[in-house]
Amino acid sequence: MLAVNDTKSTTAVFLLTGIVGHEDVYLWISIPLCLVYAIVIIGNTGILFIIKTDPSLHEPMYIFLSMLAITDLGLSITTMPTTLGIFLFNSREISLDACFAQVFFIHSFSYTESSVLVSMAFDRFIAIRDPLRYASILTPLRIAKMGLVCVIRGVALQFPFPFLLKRFQYWRVNVVSHSYCMHNDVMKLASADITVNNIYGFFIILSTVGLDSLLILLSYVMILKTVLSIASRMESLRALNTCVSHLCAVLLFYIPMVSLAVIHRFGNSSSHLLQIFFGYIYVLVPPLMNPIVYSMKSKQLRVRIIRMFVK
């Protein structure tokens, strides 16, 4: 690959990467990928439709679930065109501006989802700690304000990313490690000092993943404290059972996110396949599994889904 020192960033292009060494079976890989994306879109859209049309589900827990479904849909739709473009049509090229736009939306939806998970932890704490005042504390107006804060926080934290990346000069051809653009991946391709990007990226990780996971942990410490004060063992187990779905959503979101961030920053060339693996888990597994987990664990939601197919 030839590099020119005075290459302007506007003339540079990025080449996305699928699964290196398996190009001959891309068409076969695209079949399960298309199936996963279809399930993600149908599952999350179905959750939104059921909650919207059923007044009995207009409760705080299900409103927060709707927010989670929206962020999952946004994250999947953002990565779907480039991912399927590679495996279906071998279309790897993406322009500079399109890549930066994808960075913007991927990180926006990720940080917003992290905030929603914190809100859902607070929701479970209020439901267990003060069930009689649950609906009066988490009113629709208050939930709407919390949702707005989640969106503003997600957008504001990542807003500098495209501008921090655009100020760099790049080679004429740049190979990205994933089938979509992420900040950590793109900044390494810059032919300049990326210290500022590294520091800001580390600050974002601490202020989102670090702070949010700490708040969720604190919420569950308070929940356990409340549950242990309940005399009846059956009531204690019933209260904890309402948290299982949220705990699954938290683990499905944070484990791939943290693993991918660690591999990007501290991994070497031998961890490239691992990087690709966690990259697909990060964008596919949470949107795929969240509707399934909540549908299985929520009796009300499960009954509504069954009624859609069985009269």
Side-chain angles (χ1 to χ4, degrees), residues 57-300:
L57 296 179
H58 294 176
E59 300 176 2
M61 173 184 171
Y62 295 105
I63 297 175
F64 284 119
L65 178 57
S66 298
M67 296 180 189
L68 187 66
I70 291 172
T71 57
D72 283 338
L73 273 175
L75 183 62
S76 299
I77 292 172
T78 301
T79 60
M80 181 170 58
T82 52
T83 301
L84 293 184
I86 290 175
F87 291 99
L88 285 174
F89 310 108
N90 198 27
S91 175
R92 296 181 58 196
E93 186 174 320
I94 183 173
S95 68
L96 206 68
D97 291 334
C99 185
F100 295 159
Q102 196 172 44
V103 168
F104 175 87
F105 286 109
I106 287 176
H107 289 287
S108 290
F109 285 116
S110 294
Y111 299 153
T112 301
E113 181 162 345
S114 181
S115 300
V116 170
L117 289 172
V118 175
S119 301
M120 295 176 80
F122 177 72
D123 164 74
R124 290 299 83 208
F125 169 65
I126 297 297
I128 294 173
R129 179 69 178 270
D130 202 350
L132 297 179
R133 298 179 57 226
Y134 175 56
S136 61
I137 293 175
L138 291 175
T139 61
L141 179 59
R142 191 163 291 165
I143 294 172
K145 290 179 180 179
M146 292 172 68
L148 182 61
V149 169
C150 292
V151 173
I152 292 175
R153 183 195 184 213
V155 173
L157 284 174
Q158 69 74 46
F159 187 74
F161 276 168
F163 299 101
L164 288 173
L165 293 172
K166 199 173 182 65
R167 66 193 176 96
F168 293 136
Q169 291 184 346
Y170 298 90
W171 309 126
R172 292 192 182 278
V173 179
N174 306 271
V175 180
V176 182
S177 300
H178 300 287
S179 58
Y180 50 86
C181 294
M182 292 187 69
H183 174 255
N184 288 345
D185 200 15
V186 175
M187 73 175 182
K188 293 179 181 178
L189 302 174
S191 55
D193 183 13
I194 59 173
T195 303
V196 174
N197 291 63
N198 264 322
I199 294 174
Y200 185 71
F202 186 68
F203 165 76
I204 292 298
I205 292 295
L206 286 180
S207 59
T208 53
V209 178
L211 179 60
D212 292 353
S213 57
L214 185 63
L215 290 174
I216 292 172
L217 178 62
L218 180 61
S219 297
Y220 274 98
V221 169
M222 300 295 288
I223 287 172
L224 282 174
K225 184 179 178 181
T226 303
V227 168
L228 292 175
S229 66
I230 300 175
S232 171
R233 185 170 181 272
M234 187 63 67
E235 289 295 327
S236 300
L237 292 175
R238 190 177 301 169
L240 286 175
N241 190 51
T242 64
C243 302
V244 172
S245 300
H246 178 255
L247 276 173
C248 291
V250 169
L251 294 175
L252 287 169
F253 178 76
Y254 283 114
I255 290 177
M257 186 182 193
V258 173
S259 302
L260 187 60
V262 169
I263 292 172
H264 267 301
R265 292 185 177 276
F266 306 108
N268 50 41
S269 58
S270 63
S271 61
H272 183 65
L273 284 177
L274 194 63
Q275 189 179 108
I276 294 174
F277 175 72
F278 275 105
Y280 285 116
I281 290 179
Y282 171 59
V283 297
L284 292 176
V285 172
L288 173 68
M289 294 304 299
N290 285 339
I292 297 174
V293 170
Y294 273 93
S295 299
M296 291 176 61
K297 293 300 297 180
S298 172
K299 182 179 179 180
Q300 288 178 278

